Amino acid sequence: MNKKDLLFSRKDLWRLIWPLLVEQVLNNTLGIADILMVASKGEAAAAGVSLVDQINILLIQIFAALSTGGAVVCSQYIGSKNQKMADNTARQLIITVFFIAVFFMTAGLLFSSSILSAVFGKVDADVMSASRTYFLITLFALPPIALYNAASSLFRAQGNSRISMFIAFLINVINIGGNAIMIYGLNAGVEGVAIPTFISRFTAATVLMFLLYRAKSSGGKASVSIKGLLKTLPDFTLIKRILRIGVPNGIESSAFQIGKLLVLGITASYGTAAIAANAASNTIASFQVLPGTAMGFALLTVVGQCMGAGKADQAQYYTKRIMLLCYAFMWALNIPMLIFLRPVVELFNMSEHTTDIAYLFVAFHGIFAMLIWPLSFSLPNVLRAAGDAAYTMIVCMISMWTIRVGAAYLFKYTNNFGLCQYFNVSRDFGAFSIWVAMILDWIVRSAFFAIHYARGKWKSRRVI
């Protein structure tokens, strides 16, 4: 392959990837800060925010999935050097996600009590009160969050990941600073984390929309523009292309989140120590897969542009390079984390018994994160970028519900095949089976994705 004909130089790839890595660190830091700050207001406040966040995560994943669909279509038009259609795709994506977000916001405001009661069932009155307050305020943040996701994905689609990184930093400053002022300065309750969430996302969406409207060129390349947005009429042909990727991706993400909620309920059956250990472990585990998440975004951009340019061979070439880089980063991060894992787990100030359980969970997760996580979660973005989102949806849903959820229930109702008694450990160590079920899910989906990728049918897919 002639390197002069390559769409991305080594410098281009690094310019795309390093901001994505920083952005993922910022996103994870924000989540931890929110949890720690609201916890200072008591268990009811923390529980209320945690419960509502499960609903919010579902909605945000829908916006992210639609944004991925728009990013793939836009990146392919950029690769084909059709700037007019890339701009129109950007406008159609913005319009689509905004009106969907307004619909969810309106429905939430009208039926908030019914939604919370249906999802959470009977909870303590103070927890429900905190949930309702947090839910109502964060509902108003849905349109800004949708626009923020869409605009960020459009910048990444054109290879400009520095913008989304800087915006993630801005969100951290406003959100964490606002939390501190309202909770510690004004002695606010759950509204102390809800209002800064709205302000930070509204600010981020406003800045990103301004930058898309201004459309300043980057690296000598024309940038995607949303000029004329208010005069733009729906283009259902383009919207259909966006939804063809976005809807399967959204169904996949939603089903995955629902499955995680069911598994979380199984975890709770193993006792308080298991619940606490699982919560701490999930926080640490999110950092263990951080490089893979960043590389997944990079693959969407690079493969999308290559496929749009009709250069499937380059898409395959860059996939190999980015996946190798992904594994290198995963090993470089996780080996030191595993070495110093015990002190990291001890930062959560849990009992020694609970710390032992969490240590087991995270060590197990870290080992397999280095081995198969990229194949399970980064590689599928190659298929999505090529327009093969339906395949990833089918594989992920079947694997999640038959392997991860199915195995978790099997372990629960067989009492983990009596292994806790055999090894003479306490019952709460049985929650380790939940993590075993998760890794089994990874193994199955990674096998399907690797085989499908190797067969190469994805290279003949057409999005535009």
Side-chain angles (χ1 to χ4, degrees):
M1 186 179 296
N2 191 341
K3 291 190 175 182
K4 292 183 179 180
D5 296 330
L6 292 175
L7 294 179
F8 294 87
S9 65
R10 183 178 298 178
K11 186 177 181 180
D12 292 332
L13 288 179
W14 181 240
R15 193 185 296 124
L16 171 67
I17 289 170
W18 77 260
L20 291 173
L21 291 168
V22 175
E23 182 181 350
Q24 294 310 304
V25 173
L26 291 170
N27 289 340
N28 283 11
T29 301
L30 181 61
I32 293 173
D34 273 352
I35 292 171
L36 292 176
M37 287 181 168
V38 76
S40 68
K41 306 308 296 184
E43 292 184 359
V49 170
S50 177
L51 290 172
V52 172
D53 273 345
Q54 302 307 313
I55 299 175
N56 289 340
I57 288 171
L58 274 173
L59 296 175
I60 291 170
Q61 285 180 337
I62 291 173
F63 303 144
L66 292 172
S67 298
T68 296
V72 168
V73 177
C74 187
S75 65
Q76 292 213 7
Y77 277 124
I78 292 171
S80 68
K81 301 188 185 304
N82 190 335
Q83 190 64 40
K84 181 179 179 181
M85 289 302 294
D87 292 345
N88 196 21
T89 300
R91 290 191 291 268
Q92 297 300 324
L93 174 62
I94 295 295
I95 291 170
T96 302
V97 298
F98 177 76
F99 281 106
I100 290 175
V102 169
F103 169 79
F104 282 129
M105 180 187 71
T106 304
L109 291 172
L110 291 175
F111 306 106
S112 59
S113 296
S114 300
I115 292 171
L116 294 176
S117 297
V119 174
F120 304 146
K122 293 182 179 180
V123 296
D124 293 341
D126 52 352
V127 174
M128 181 58 76
S129 177
S131 297
R132 186 174 293 108
T133 299
Y134 184 70
F135 185 56
L136 289 174
I137 296 174
T138 54
L139 279 172
F140 288 100
L142 291 182
I145 288 173
L147 293 176
Y148 160 69
N149 272 279
S152 293
S153 70
L154 290 171
F155 277 108
R156 286 193 291 263
Q158 50 195 312
N160 190 350
S161 56
R162 286 176 296 175
I163 293 294
S164 57
M165 177 192 69
F166 288 132
I167 295 300
F169 178 76
L170 176 66
I171 288 175
N172 270 256
V173 171
I174 297 174
N175 210 145
I176 296 175
N179 288 352
I181 291 171
M182 296 202 67
I183 292 176
Y184 304 128
L186 301 178
N187 197 31
V190 293
E191 64 273 15
V193 291
I195 293 174
T197 295
F198 169 76
I199 295 174
S200 63
R201 273 37 169 212
F202 180 83
T203 303
T206 302
V207 173
L208 285 171
M209 293 294 287
F210 170 77
L211 293 174
L212 281 174
Y213 188 85
R214 188 181 62 168
K216 186 177 180 181
S217 61
S218 175
K221 300 178 181 178
S223 295
V224 170
S225 171
I226 59 169
K227 287 181 179 178
L229 176 66
L230 298 179
K231 298 179 181 179
T232 301
L233 296 176
D235 184 335
F236 292 105
T237 300
L238 265 181
I239 292 174
K240 184 178 179 181
R241 289 174 181 168
I242 293 171
L243 296 180
R244 192 182 301 154
I245 297 169
V247 169
N249 199 25
I251 294 173
E252 173 190 330
S253 299
S254 300
F256 184 78
Q257 183 62 24
I258 293 170
K260 284 181 67 176
L261 290 174
L262 288 174
V263 172
L264 184 61
I266 299 174
T267 303
S269 70
Y270 288 101
T272 303
I275 297 172
N278 190 71
S281 299
N282 278 322
T283 301
I284 300 172
S286 66
F287 279 93
Q288 290 178 320
V289 301
L290 186 151
T293 303
M295 295 301 171
F297 283 125
L299 285 168
L300 279 174
T301 298
V302 173
V303 174
Q305 290 196 25
C306 289
M307 296 300 289
K311 299 181 182 295
D313 57 334
Q314 288 198 31
Q316 193 165 16
Y317 168 76
Y318 286 119
T319 296
K320 293 178 181 177
R321 292 194 63 179
I322 293 175
M323 287 296 292
L324 285 173
L325 194 59
C326 179
Y327 269 103
F329 274 111
M330 291 287 281
W331 280 72
L333 172 67
N334 279 284
I335 289 177
M337 282 191 71
L338 289 172
I339 293 173
F340 299 103
L341 184 57
R342 186 74 189 192
V344 172
V345 177
E346 289 174 350
L347 291 174
F348 287 83
N349 294 316
M350 299 178 292
S351 69
E352 184 176 353
H353 176 68
T354 305
T355 299
D356 289 340
I357 298 173
Y359 178 83
L360 176 64
F361 292 173
V362 182
F364 183 68
H365 181 274
I367 292 169
F368 282 94
M370 291 189 295
L371 296 175
I372 57 175
W373 196 94
L375 290 175
S376 305
F377 295 95
S378 301
L379 185 62
N381 274 358
V382 175
L383 307 180
R384 296 185 185 104
D388 206 357
Y391 181 82
T392 64
M393 177 192 70
I394 293 169
V395 170
C396 288
M397 289 185 66
I398 292 176
S399 181
M400 177 70 181
W401 287 92
T402 60
I403 306 300
R404 186 167 181 175
V405 176
Y409 274 100
L410 176 64
F411 285 130
K412 175 185 176 182
Y413 288 111
T414 60
N415 198 21
N416 293 310
F417 299 104
L419 291 174
C420 287
Q421 294 90 332
Y422 181 81
F423 288 104
N424 195 29
V425 296
S426 61
R427 179 175 174 274
D428 39 24
F429 269 97
F432 178 63
S433 63
I434 304 297
W435 293 71
V436 173
M438 176 178 64
I439 301 305
L440 291 175
D441 170 36
W442 292 5
I443 293 171
V444 170
R445 67 172 67 201
S446 63
F448 275 94
F449 290 141
I451 292 171
H452 190 72
Y453 171 81
R455 286 176 175 171
K457 291 183 179 180
W458 58 273
K459 291 187 284 187
S460 61
R461 290 279 181 176
R462 291 289 178 269
V463 174
I464 61 174

